[in-house]
């Protein structure tokens, strides 16, 4: 089943791929957090590299006919993936230790920065990988 927007984007690919790739990160973070090491969520910038895989899978599985749509889908899926990672960072951060009253403003600012930067980093990395795949596809045709 394919769900498309009026612009012809394949929403199924955008949502499914980003959620499936995020699920692995969620499981790892939760397992390590339950084991007593909630600081694992601090490697979120390294986990943004999973967005490279999001871009690869989006281009391969998209039903969109136009390359520009596949690239947009990859960027949106990567952005959603990065956003979810930022939200997870915000949820797990308080478990790393008590936050003093005078540190709450900085903690919230850091969480918001991680959400925004994660969204753009995920979108950018996913787009770059999708673009490189599209270029390779054009050369082989």
């Amino acid at each position: 089943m394919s769900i498309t927007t009026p612009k012809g984007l394949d929403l199924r690919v955008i949502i499914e791929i980003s959620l499936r790739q995020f699920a692995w990160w969620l499981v790892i973070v939760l397992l390590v957090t339950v084991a007593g090491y909630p600081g694992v969520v601090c490697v979120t910038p390294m986990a943004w590299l999973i967005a490279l895989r999001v871009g690869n899978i989006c281009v391969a599985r998209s039903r969109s006919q136009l390359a520009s749509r596949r690239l947009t889908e990859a960027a949106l899926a990567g952005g959603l993936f990065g956003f979810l990672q930022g939200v997870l960072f915000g949820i797990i951060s308080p478990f790393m230790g008590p936050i003093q009253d005078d540190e709450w403003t900085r903690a919230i600012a850091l969480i918001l920065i991680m959400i925004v930067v994660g969204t753009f980093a995920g979108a950018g990395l996913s787009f770059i990988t999708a673009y490189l795949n599209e270029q390779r596809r054009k050369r082989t045709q």
Side-chain angles (χ1 to χ4, degrees):
M1 182 174 109
S2 180
I3 304 169
T4 59
T5 66
K7 299 275 187 192
L9 297 175
D10 190 348
L11 286 178
R12 179 196 55 82
V13 166
I14 295 167
I15 295 168
E16 180 183 329
I17 292 171
S18 56
L19 289 178
R20 283 186 180 207
Q21 298 306 306
F22 175 71
W24 289 108
W25 179 242
L26 176 65
V27 168
I28 290 167
V29 168
L30 291 178
L31 285 174
V32 176
T33 298
V34 169
Y37 300 98
V40 70
V41 78
C42 291
V43 297
T44 295
M46 187 179 78
W48 289 337
L49 295 176
I50 300 169
L52 297 171
R53 181 168 165 78
V54 170
N56 285 335
I57 297 170
C58 275
V59 167
R61 294 191 185 161
S62 175
R63 293 189 177 132
S64 296
Q65 299 299 317
L66 297 175
S68 62
R69 285 189 186 145
R70 289 190 296 270
L71 294 176
T72 302
E73 291 164 358
L76 290 172
L80 177 59
F81 173 76
F83 174 80
L84 292 171
Q85 285 184 319
V87 170
L88 180 63
F89 179 84
I91 292 169
I92 298 295
S93 293
F95 294 102
M96 289 191 283
I99 300 173
Q100 304 300 319
D101 291 336
D102 61 335
E103 295 174 337
W104 273 104
T105 304
R106 281 183 252 158
I108 291 171
L110 177 62
I111 291 167
L112 292 175
I113 289 169
M114 289 296 285
I115 290 171
V116 171
V117 171
T119 301
F120 285 107
L125 290 168
S126 184
F127 178 85
I128 289 168
T129 305
Y131 176 79
L132 293 173
N133 277 311
E134 286 295 331
Q135 294 303 310
R136 186 179 312 125
R137 181 183 291 182
K138 285 180 186 177
R139 283 193 304 264
T140 60
Q141 289 180 347

